[in-house]
Amino acid sequence: MLLPVQVTKTHRFHSKMSQAQPYLPQTTKDADSLSDRLNAFNELSERLSSAYGQLETEVSQLSDELALSRAQRQSERAQKDQLADRLSALLEALPAAVVLVDGRDRVDRFNPAAEALFPGLAWARRWSEVQAESVLTSTSTGEWLLSNERRVNVSCQPLNDGGQILVIVDMTEQRDLEERLQRQGRLTD
């Protein structure tokens, strides 16, 4: 239930609103000014709509380019992964020992043949430490006598990152055969 005072205030407000007149320009100058403002507003609105449309087109084009770039990167990554898998399989299958040493003298990769020749070989271990533990003597021609009495031939190839890749071939049996042949040759003479 409304109080009489409130009814009176509400009634006065409605009566004033019913007496309100819409704004009508008083002069031709006011009408022209209003028309100019509306035209300027419409022109700006059209420019804004046009610019927004262009932005939407550019965003769409950039999104398409980004999707294409992502697809290309994924394809390249898949190809690199496939190549890395093939190289890993090749590394595992090689009868020669292979050791990859990074630019900080840390063992980065090696195969089972390398592990058999160098028992202390481990990932991230310093190659100079492994070499000091395992190599008894070395020659300038790249032949090493290992602590396990194996004789190996070492080829070292520097890498662009400051590291190196070592290919180590166990020559023990070949050297033993050569020594036997030399002994037999001396005995027959």
Side-chain angles (χ1 to χ4, degrees):
M1 176 171 175
L2 294 175
L3 298 173
V5 175
Q6 289 177 341
V7 170
T8 307
K9 285 183 180 178
T10 304
H11 177 69
R12 276 190 247 145
F13 174 74
H14 284 294
S15 65
K16 286 183 181 178
M17 288 300 293
S18 63
Q19 296 170 2
Q21 298 291 322
Y23 173 76
L24 296 174
Q26 300 297 322
T27 65
T28 313
K29 185 177 177 183
D30 290 342
D32 288 343
S33 175
L34 182 60
S35 176
D36 290 345
R37 286 187 216 156
L38 282 174
N39 287 338
F41 175 77
N42 287 337
E43 184 180 324
L44 286 174
S45 178
E46 286 176 20
R47 284 186 195 168
L48 183 60
S49 293
S50 175
Y52 184 74
Q54 288 174 349
L55 283 175
E56 281 183 329
T57 303
E58 288 181 33
V59 166
S60 177
Q61 288 173 347
L62 289 174
S63 294
D64 292 345
E65 289 175 17
L66 181 61
L68 180 62
S69 175
R70 283 181 181 160
Q72 288 173 341
R73 263 189 291 136
Q74 286 175 344
S75 174
E76 289 172 1
R77 187 178 303 136
Q79 289 173 353
K80 286 179 183 179
D81 288 345
Q82 186 180 27
L83 180 61
D85 289 344
R86 287 180 181 172
L87 289 175
S88 291
L90 177 64
L91 186 66
E92 294 293 317
L94 281 176
V98 178
V99 179
L100 178 65
V101 181
D102 68 15
R104 299 173 303 141
D105 190 41
R106 302 277 183 186
V107 175
D108 187 42
R109 287 188 141 188
F110 54 91
N111 66 352
E115 202 168 15
L117 289 175
F118 302 96
L121 191 62
W123 182 80
R125 186 157 183 226
R126 290 197 178 280
W127 171 246
S128 54
E129 292 173 2
V130 173
Q131 193 175 357
E133 287 175 2
S134 301
V135 179
L136 295 177
T137 61
S138 64
T139 66
S140 60
T141 59
E143 289 193 26
W144 294 355
L145 176 62
L146 302 181
S147 58
N148 58 9
E149 299 184 10
R150 305 299 292 175
R151 289 185 276 184
V152 297
N153 188 358
V154 181
S155 297
C156 180
Q157 180 67 39
L159 300 173
N160 292 338
D161 66 355
Q164 59 185 340
I165 188 164
L166 297 127
V167 178
I168 304 157
V169 179
D170 189 347
M171 304 295 288
T172 306
E173 291 177 15
Q174 182 180 344
R175 295 290 184 246
D176 288 345
L177 285 174
E178 288 173 358
E179 287 175 5
R180 280 188 209 156
L181 285 174
Q182 285 177 355
R183 274 187 247 147
Q184 285 179 355
R186 280 186 246 149
L187 290 175
T188 56
D189 288 339

